[in-house]
Amino acid sequence: MPARGHFPAICQSVKVVKVIQVQSIWIGTLKNVFMVGTFIYICFALVSDKRYQRKEPVVSSVNAKVKGVAAVTEEIVENGTKKVVHSVFDTADYTFPLQGNSFFVMTNYLKTEGQVQGLCPEYPSRNTLCSSDRNCKEGWMNPLSKGIQTGRCIQNEGKQKTCEVSGWCPTQATEQAPRPALLNSAENFTVLIKNNIDFPGHNYTTRNILPDLNITCTFHKTENPQCPIFRIGDIFQEIGENFSEVAIQGGIMGIEIYWDCNLDSWFHRCRPQYSFRRLDDKTTNESLVPGYNFRHAKYYKENNVEKRTLTKVFGIRFDILVFGTGGKLDFIQLIVYIGSTISYFGMATVFIDFLINTYSNKYCRSHIYPYFKCCECCAVNEYYYRKKCESIVEPKSTLKYVSFVDESHIRRVDQQLLGRSLQDVNGEKIPRPSMDFTDLSRLSLSLQNPPPVPGQPEQIQLLSEEVTPRSSNTPDWCQCGNCLPSQLPESRRCLEELCCRRKRGACITTSELFRKLILSRHVLQFLLLYQEPLLALDADATSSRLRHCAYRCYTTWRFGSQDLADFAILPSCCRWRIRREFPKSEGQYSGFKSPY
């Protein structure tokens, strides 16, 4: 078994609760204020958060319709000549079907017309430039390429050479999106959002379109917050974004619909709340492909040859995010909430304990009270702490308490003696408990001092000043001259090798108080009869009861506390003096026995 000293200090002790009632105005007021505040918080949370309701998440479906017309002006190159083309885009031109609760609005595009399957040079770039056929590999495919290389290096427009590929020709130019965006007027488009929701557990269904809706309305955060028709430009203004900048490269926007429904009949309310946010990373460097874009193609035949028009589309994807809860009164939820919050009132006691423990430690006594006079009133917490906290030592077989008449403290020995005399073990010094004098009133009047004689000063009876001379039988560890060797076996003998003194001096058995309190047969009989009024014993049993009563009187007198007295070791001189006064017929004594 490992020695006790090998364990950390935290593993050698434990704190348990001791209940005391503190009669203090400021502590009582503080506790009541804390409890009233806790009660107010619990009631506020119950009403404001509707903790009495059973909550259920929303189940929803969404449908969106975009309306608007945009005039587009673009420059195209036809037969080597640039010309300006005007066109009009309607809903079918700039919207594309998407999966889920999303819709897309095109704001910009790059168009490559008349592509056919064939052989053509790659569009010049850092990865496609070449100087000879050795720079091109037949059959090689690059994810960024526009086709499969044929192994030839041919002249492109201008003086540059690029690898020839097999694919749709001519290849699409990897040029930047037009600035400003071609569909910059898309900010005036409107979108109607239809949102149907259901709370199956509460058997309740509704939608965001109110019966008295004005179909010409437009959403406004304060003036018309329930209108489900949104102007795209207003959405960007709500979050502080510039539509014209986002329209160039595209982006992703979120339209949030939050339902906080109170389904109780006496305060029914279930209306959506709309909010917006940008979901893509607007700070991304342009080299990392910012915005939102994709490609699509329109196929047709010309002179029995299949052709296509490839369009790289830039635009804004709107994701509609619907979330929320619906709540209705449920008595089980109410009972659970009340039961879970009752424990909050215990925090008042925990808070008071924290204050008492904090303001009663050594740090406050040495560093705060001397410099902050306003905190001196908190010093009373030290008294509360002493009443509240009590150190209890584990009752082990190695635990012993020793009291010397020439020391004001008590020594605690919590170790195996291993053959050493108990007199030579230092032990831990602990304060002597204060004596409770109320029990002295139970003693016989013969123990009381005689009335004082007029004209003579009163004197306290001291130990005899004469030191008993050491005899040949006196052990080396004896300091008073009255100790005798132990009769216990060799393995336990060191436990009784203890004197009443730490240093040389008179023995405690020579004091008048020892004779009256410990050896007085009349006093001991009084104490035995006080405990058992009908006690009747024979001569031998009476001697044994008086001897053990004398042991108990000595430990109570010298150690004060009953907890300490249970583990107290009597000095050899006192033990033998009591045994001589109340001997055992067999003459063999058992010695100290642990009570646990």
Side-chain angles (χ1 to χ4, degrees):
M1 183 176 178
R4 181 174 183 261
H6 292 174
F7 291 97
I10 193 173
C11 298
Q12 301 182 19
S13 63
V14 63
K15 286 187 176 181
V16 295
V17 177
K18 178 181 180 181
V19 179
I20 62 172
Q21 185 174 0
V22 179
Q23 299 291 341
S24 172
I25 296 178
W26 77 271
I27 289 182
T29 303
L30 186 62
K31 179 181 179 181
N32 290 330
V33 169
F34 195 95
M35 295 186 70
V36 169
T38 302
F39 179 76
I40 294 174
Y41 166 75
I42 292 174
C43 295
F44 176 78
L46 177 66
V47 176
S48 63
D49 296 341
K50 304 177 182 65
R51 304 298 294 270
Y52 55 86
Q53 293 182 337
R54 179 172 63 88
K55 304 287 186 177
E56 182 182 9
V58 66
V59 179
S60 73
S61 64
V62 176
N63 183 25
K65 290 186 176 182
V66 182
K67 298 292 184 179
V69 178
V72 178
T73 301
E74 59 178 323
E75 290 185 354
I76 62 174
V77 179
E78 186 175 336
N79 298 326
T81 304
K82 287 186 178 182
K83 66 177 183 178
V84 177
V85 177
H86 299 279
S87 57
V88 176
F89 280 59
D90 61 10
T91 303
D93 297 317
Y94 57 72
T95 59
F96 298 85
L98 296 178
Q99 299 294 328
N101 296 341
S102 301
F103 64 93
F104 178 82
V105 176
M106 181 176 68
T107 57
N108 211 356
Y109 62 89
L110 290 171
K111 186 182 294 185
T112 303
E113 297 180 333
Q115 284 187 324
V116 296
Q117 290 279 353
L119 301 177
C120 57
E122 275 270 30
Y123 187 83
S125 67
R126 184 179 60 180
N127 298 325
T128 59
L129 292 174
C130 62
S131 58
S132 64
D133 293 347
R134 290 180 300 178
N135 301 126
C136 303
K137 185 178 180 181
E138 184 178 2
W140 186 74
M141 293 178 293
N142 188 336
L144 300 179
S145 177
K146 303 298 188 296
I148 302 174
Q149 291 188 7
T150 62
R152 297 175 57 201
C153 181
I154 62 176
Q155 190 78 26
N156 200 331
E157 297 180 2
K159 300 180 180 180
Q160 294 177 321
K161 286 187 175 182
T162 58
C163 294
E164 185 183 52
V165 295
S166 174
W168 287 97
C169 298
T171 58
Q172 186 181 44
T174 56
E175 60 189 52
Q176 296 293 328
R179 290 177 179 269
L182 297 177
L183 278 77
N184 202 28
S185 60
E187 65 177 336
N188 295 317
F189 295 170
T190 59
V191 54
L192 168 64
I193 298 178
K194 300 178 181 179
N195 180 206
N196 298 312
I197 67 167
D198 181 35
F199 297 107
H202 299 311
N203 193 25
Y204 182 81
T205 302
T206 188
R207 63 176 185 168
N208 67 327
I209 300 179
L210 303 179
D212 54 348
L213 174 67
N214 182 2
I215 60 174
T216 62
C217 72
T218 303
F219 173 84
H220 190 275
K221 190 173 183 178
T222 56
E223 297 179 1
N224 205 352
Q226 295 299 318
C227 180
I229 302 175
F230 304 87
R231 179 179 173 272
I232 292 180
D234 294 340
I235 296 177
F236 281 82
Q237 290 179 5
E238 285 286 339
I239 60 175
E241 293 286 344
N242 189 329
F243 175 83
S244 298
E245 291 293 328
V246 179
I248 296 173
Q249 297 284 357
I252 303 175
M253 300 293 294
I255 301 177
E256 298 177 345
I257 305 177
Y258 174 64
W259 294 84
D260 184 14
C261 294
N262 186 351
L263 304 181
D264 292 326
S265 58
W266 62 84
F267 193 69
H268 183 278
R269 178 174 177 80
C270 192
R271 293 288 183 267
Q273 298 178 14
Y274 301 98
S275 59
F276 316 97
R277 67 175 65 239
R278 185 170 179 179
L279 302 180
D280 63 318
D281 188 1
K282 61 181 180 181
T283 61
T284 304
N285 190 287
E286 289 191 358
S287 63
L288 300 179
V289 191
Y292 184 82
N293 62 78
F294 60 90
R295 291 176 174 86
H296 76 97
K298 292 182 179 180
Y299 296 88
Y300 60 95
K301 282 189 176 182
E302 186 178 286
N303 297 327
N304 208 27
V305 176
E306 185 179 30
K307 294 185 177 183
R308 76 174 187 181
T309 299
L310 180 64
T311 306
K312 182 178 182 181
V313 177
F314 302 87
I316 302 170
R317 190 185 80 189
F318 292 88
D319 294 338
I320 304 175
L321 311 174
V322 183
F323 56 97
T325 57
K328 201 170 186 179
L329 174 63
D330 185 81
F331 287 103
I332 295 179
Q333 288 295 120
L334 179 61
I335 294 173
V336 169
Y337 174 75
I338 294 176
S340 63
T341 54
I342 288 177
S343 60
Y344 291 177
F345 292 100
M347 295 176 61
T349 303
V350 174
F351 179 68
I352 298 300
D353 284 347
F354 172 76
L355 291 181
I356 293 177
N357 294 340
T358 301
Y359 290 103
S360 61
N361 55 35
K362 296 180 180 179
Y363 180 84
C364 293
R365 188 162 49 250
S366 58
H367 293 83
I368 295 181
Y369 297 155
Y371 305 103
F372 298 94
K373 300 301 182 182
C374 60
C375 296
E376 287 185 346
C377 59
C378 298
V380 71
N381 288 331
E382 296 184 30
Y383 172 75
Y384 298 145
Y385 184 80
R386 287 196 301 269
K387 291 294 184 180
K388 184 175 73 75
C389 298
E390 178 182 2
S391 296
I392 300 178
V393 181
E394 179 184 0
K396 299 185 297 184
S397 59
T398 58
L399 179 64
K400 298 167 284 293
Y401 290 98
V402 175
S403 174
F404 296 107
V405 71
D406 52 350
E407 289 183 349
S408 60
H409 51 266
I410 296 175
R411 294 180 181 267
R412 180 170 61 204
V413 179
D414 189 9
Q415 57 182 296
Q416 295 181 356
L417 299 180
L418 301 178
R420 290 187 302 167
S421 299
L422 186 57
Q423 180 77 18
D424 300 330
V425 180
N426 289 327
E428 179 185 356
K429 297 180 181 179
I430 61 175
R432 186 182 300 274
S434 58
M435 177 67 72
D436 185 3
F437 294 98
T438 57
D439 288 339
L440 294 180
S441 61
R442 305 172 184 173
L443 300 181
S444 174
L445 294 177
S446 63
L447 188 60
Q448 310 300 326
N449 290 329
V453 178
Q456 293 184 2
E458 297 187 24
Q459 295 182 352
I460 299 178
Q461 295 177 347
L462 303 176
L463 297 179
S464 174
E465 297 182 0
E466 297 180 0
V467 180
T468 304
R470 298 175 64 89
S471 63
S472 58
N473 294 331
T474 302
D476 296 336
W477 42 265
C478 179
Q479 303 296 325
C480 66
N482 290 332
C483 299
L484 296 176
S486 174
Q487 295 180 347
L488 296 179
E490 184 69 26
S491 59
R492 299 181 56 210
R493 189 170 299 171
C494 55
L495 188 63
E496 291 190 351
E497 295 178 350
L498 177 68
C499 184
C500 65
R501 302 186 64 92
R502 193 68 174 175
K503 299 178 181 179
R504 291 284 294 170
C507 183
I508 192 174
T509 60
T510 63
S511 68
E512 184 68 15
L513 185 58
F514 184 87
R515 183 185 65 81
K516 289 185 176 182
L517 183 61
I518 308 302
L519 301 179
S520 173
R521 185 178 296 267
H522 180 65
V523 171
L524 298 177
Q525 290 177 348
F526 177 81
L527 292 176
L528 289 175
L529 292 174
Y530 182 84
Q531 293 179 342
E532 300 180 48
L534 303 180
L535 181 64
L537 300 173
D538 53 30
D540 186 62
T542 300
S543 180
S544 176
R545 293 293 295 266
L546 292 175
R547 183 174 63 255
H548 287 90
C549 184
Y551 291 158
R552 177 59 64 182
C553 286
Y554 180 84
T555 55
T556 304
W557 171 40
R558 294 297 302 149
F559 293 90
S561 170
Q562 185 66 35
D563 294 332
L564 273 61
D566 289 339
F567 296 91
I569 304 297
L570 271 68
S572 176
C573 52
C574 301
R575 187 186 310 110
W576 283 109
R577 181 68 184 88
I578 294 172
R579 288 173 179 176
R580 285 199 302 269
E581 191 72 24
F582 310 105
K584 189 175 183 179
S585 59
E586 295 83 5
Q588 184 65 33
Y589 300 94
S590 60
F592 172 79
K593 293 182 179 179
S594 176
Y596 300 102

